[in-house]
Amino acid sequence: QAAAITFSNDMQTTARGGANSSAVRALTMLFSQLPEDVLYQILSYLDYRSLSRLSQVCKTIYHFVNRDAVWKKIAKDFLNTGITRNGTDIYHHIPLKERVKIAQNWCDGVCNRAVPLKWKTKLLPWVQLDRDMLFLSQAAVIGGYSLCQDSGRLHRNPFEIYSGHKGDVCRFVLTDAHLISGGSDGKILVHHRRRGVMLELSGHNQEVNCLDSKDGLIISGSRDRTARIWTLTSSCPRDTIAMQDRVWSVAISPTLSSFVTGTACCENFSPLSIWDVERSECVCILGSQFRRGAGVLDMVFESPFQLFTCGYDTFIRLWDLRLSPRKCAMEWEEPHDSALYCIQTDGNHMIASGSSYYGVVRLWDKRQTRCLQFFQLSSQPASSPVYCLRFSSSHLYAALATALHSLDFSQNPIYIR
């Protein structure tokens, strides 16, 4: 280990111009003759700044140091690099070194702000991202917009419009083949993303506040105090579950064996319940200390046993579903006592949340209890909540009542070249 550190320090000295040309050639020759596993071990002792300086020594070292294998260990410790906790690489088409550059900007809050879309009427928009496409609901329609691959900028004219609801779209989800939307008219519409075929699912008699879909399974929740289980092969619900409160949020487990409902918490019981998909029976209740009105507005499974929730009680909570009884493993509190309307995680260390006042977006590092960065997107007296947010490796998009905001984190910090 000591020899590896000494060699690394010599190479860094060379990179900073602390050695003559003959020393550079000698060190480069030594570097190229070492087995790759030894080189990886040497480089594992360097941080991202040192690796960046080292890559400037010569072309041979540059090409080796820029390999994803060199940066993978570092990338796991940064926010939003696309390396999830289980080792999956979400953004495998982007070199890891480039992602670490951008991740440093996420940590430091360095970004360019823009408002790609505005509209006059106040709405409750929802957003989904799919690679280089962004889908945005506005009143009764959903528009599909192309994103420029290099800049992440939004093309102002949608390439596709999905319509059919007689009221506003409340929620929608994307699958590989379908766009599934729930509206204030109580309808669920299934649009085929390529053929434009539409299936109407009827059952709710009030607005569909939430839905989720995986592998042909659809779960919906409504103000009519029911949750319904559907399949893509029938226009009628497979099962209807009578709830004791309005359902604000649902999420299907990655295993497809269960789903979670979050209610408005207007009654004297926990708003969070886990249900068995096959039996349509309640498996368990999560938590018991929720105050009245602490409804759950958004939730996301990060793994089969990790569930994140947020809502009116201003907390983000991580539930460990492996424990018995299942209980909250960690929580993060919104510092200004604002309801949290939406959350998204990167599958590793980062959480992004949208607050109810002044369009505040916060970035959280799960390894800390305090907020890492925050961005106020609205300064108007009648401020809007962040109704929905989604992010890619370089951009965050937040939907407010009258505009879609974007934060671009892709500009290069000066110490990573």
Side-chain angles (χ1 to χ4, degrees), residues 10 12-20 23-24:
D10 290 344
Q12 291 178 68
T13 301
T14 301
R16 289 193 294 267
N20 57 33
V24 171

Side-chain angles (χ1 to χ4, degrees), residues 109-120:
V110 178
C111 64
N112 292 323
R113 306 188 186 194
V115 183
L117 291 175
K118 291 183 179 180
W119 48 90
K120 294 182 179 180

Side-chain angles (χ1 to χ4, degrees), residues 9-224:
N9 290 335
D10 290 344
M11 296 300 288
Q12 291 178 68
T13 301
T14 301
R16 289 193 294 267
N20 57 33
S21 58
S22 60
V24 171
R25 287 194 297 271
L27 282 172
T28 302
M29 184 176 297
L30 176 60
F31 188 92
S32 62
Q33 290 174 349
L34 290 173
E36 288 195 353
D37 58 339
V38 175
L39 291 176
Y40 287 134
Q41 182 67 20
I42 292 171
L43 298 182
S44 69
Y45 295 102
L46 302 184
D47 61 17
Y48 61 95
R49 290 185 177 90
S50 299
L51 281 175
S52 297
R53 296 189 189 106
L54 181 60
S55 68
Q56 299 173 30
V57 172
C58 67
K59 289 184 178 180
T60 301
I61 295 177
Y62 173 85
H63 290 300
F64 188 89
V65 170
N66 279 13
R67 292 183 183 182
D68 279 0
V70 173
W71 290 87
K72 192 166 186 177
K73 180 181 177 182
I74 291 175
K76 287 181 179 179
D77 291 331
F78 272 86
L79 304 184
N80 197 29
T81 57
I83 305 296
T84 64
R85 189 166 298 172
N86 62 14
T88 303
D89 191 346
I90 301 173
Y91 309 121
H92 56 85
H93 59 287
I94 305 174
L96 267 178
K97 180 183 177 181
E98 297 301 315
R99 283 182 264 167
V100 171
K101 288 182 184 180
I102 299 170
Q104 185 61 45
N105 287 334
W106 286 88
C107 293
D108 296 339
V110 178
C111 64
N112 292 323
R113 306 188 186 194
V115 183
L117 291 175
K118 291 183 179 180
W119 48 90
K120 294 182 179 180
T121 305
K122 288 187 176 181
L123 305 173
L124 279 72
W126 198 252
V127 178
Q128 297 287 2
L129 277 180
D130 184 12
R131 295 183 290 274
D132 59 349
M133 294 176 288
L134 180 144
F135 296 83
L136 171 70
S137 66
Q138 295 171 284
V141 300
I142 301 168
Y145 297 84
S146 296
L147 298 172
C148 297
Q149 291 186 351
D150 296 333
S151 65
R153 292 180 181 175
L154 192 77
H155 289 229
R156 297 189 66 86
N157 296 320
F159 65 83
E160 188 69 70
I161 296 289
Y162 300 90
S163 59
H165 284 285
K166 296 180 181 178
D168 288 357
V169 173
C170 299
R171 289 288 189 275
F172 69 93
V173 294
L174 296 174
T175 66
D176 290 340
H178 298 93
L179 184 150
I180 305 166
S181 59
S184 61
D185 55 3
K187 307 292 184 183
I188 297 173
L189 301 182
V190 181
H191 304 265
H192 196 287
R193 291 174 59 179
R194 287 177 286 276
R195 297 198 299 267
V197 178
M198 187 174 66
L199 174 66
E200 182 177 303
L201 310 181
S202 300
H204 291 292
N205 55 40
Q206 294 187 48
E207 58 259 44
V208 179
N209 292 320
C210 53
L211 54 83
D212 195 11
S213 179
K214 287 183 176 68
D215 199 26
L217 175 69
I218 302 172
I219 307 294
S220 62
S222 170
R223 182 181 283 269
D224 66 8

Side-chain angles (χ1 to χ4, degrees), residues 337-401:
D337 200 33
S338 297
L340 296 173
Y341 274 59
C342 54
I343 52 173
Q344 188 185 359
T345 75
D346 68 347
N348 194 13
H349 298 305
M350 191 178 82
I351 308 171
S353 65
S355 303
S356 58
Y357 295 118
Y358 299 104
V360 171
V361 170
R362 294 188 185 275
L363 303 182
W364 307 79
D365 188 329
K366 297 174 191 174
R367 297 162 293 187
Q368 305 174 19
T369 56
R370 298 182 63 181
C371 167
L372 181 66
Q373 297 291 342
F374 82 96
F375 309 90
Q376 183 177 322
L377 304 181
S378 174
S379 58
Q380 300 176 0
S383 61
S384 164
V386 178
Y387 289 109
C388 185
L389 59 80
R390 293 290 183 266
F391 57 78
S392 63
S393 63
S394 58
H395 288 74
L396 185 147
Y397 302 92
L400 278 64

